[in-house]
Amino acid sequence: QVQPVESGGGLVQAGGSLRLSCAASGRTFSSYRMGWFRQAPGKEREFVAAISWSGMQYYADSVKGRFTISRDNAKNTVYLQMNSLKPEDTAVYYCATKGRGSVFLGEEYEYWGQGTQVTVSS
């Protein structure tokens, strides 16, 4: 069983930055792919970013150039550095891990965290 736990959400003004963290248990964390998704009120869940076991990074077009995903295998943690935040980035951000198939599809991940709220004020 792998249980991702997110942290780092909060309230920030537009143009500001936040760094989300996701700690996941498991002795083979370094072999897991990790993904970040978000869901805004009244909207579908959407892909934000993912990182493979080898460090390959994937981003949604809406966050390219502003968000950076990284991982620290020694700490079993993945990070999402979010810069130049916009009000439309407001959402609950979820960390997901393991699974197979497309990194862009939430249904291809096995384990999910509880989410952390990010609110960007204008």
Side-chain angles (χ1 to χ4, degrees):
Q1 185 77 10
V2 178
Q3 182 55 58
V5 179
E6 305 96 338
S7 60
L11 173 64
V12 64
Q13 288 189 330
S17 299
L18 280 175
R19 188 176 79 158
L20 305 184
S21 300
C22 174
S25 60
R27 289 179 292 178
T28 56
F29 173 84
S30 60
S31 68
Y32 303 163
R33 64 179 183 180
M34 304 293 296
W36 286 99
F37 290 77
R38 67 187 181 186
Q39 187 166 20
K43 294 189 176 181
E44 297 286 319
R45 181 180 64 194
E46 65 175 358
F47 169 78
V48 176
I51 188 166
S52 72
W53 64 270
S54 63
M56 186 169 294
Q57 300 165 22
Y58 306 84
Y59 297 97
D61 288 343
S62 59
V63 307
K64 277 181 184 175
R66 300 189 298 122
F67 291 11
T68 302
I69 189 170
S70 61
R71 64 190 300 158
D72 184 339
N73 291 333
K75 295 183 179 180
N76 281 17
T77 300
V78 64
Y79 303 99
L80 185 67
Q81 178 66 44
M82 307 186 295
N83 299 329
S84 302
L85 282 161
K86 304 175 181 180
E88 51 263 44
D89 294 317
T90 295
V92 177
Y93 283 70
Y94 297 91
C95 176
T97 187
K98 296 195 78 175
R100 296 182 178 183
S102 172
V103 299
F104 300 102
L105 299 178
E107 54 265 38
E108 302 291 345
Y109 289 80
E110 283 188 63
Y111 300 101
W112 290 80
Q114 293 299 307
T116 185
Q117 176 71 46
V118 172
T119 303
V120 184
S121 64
S122 57

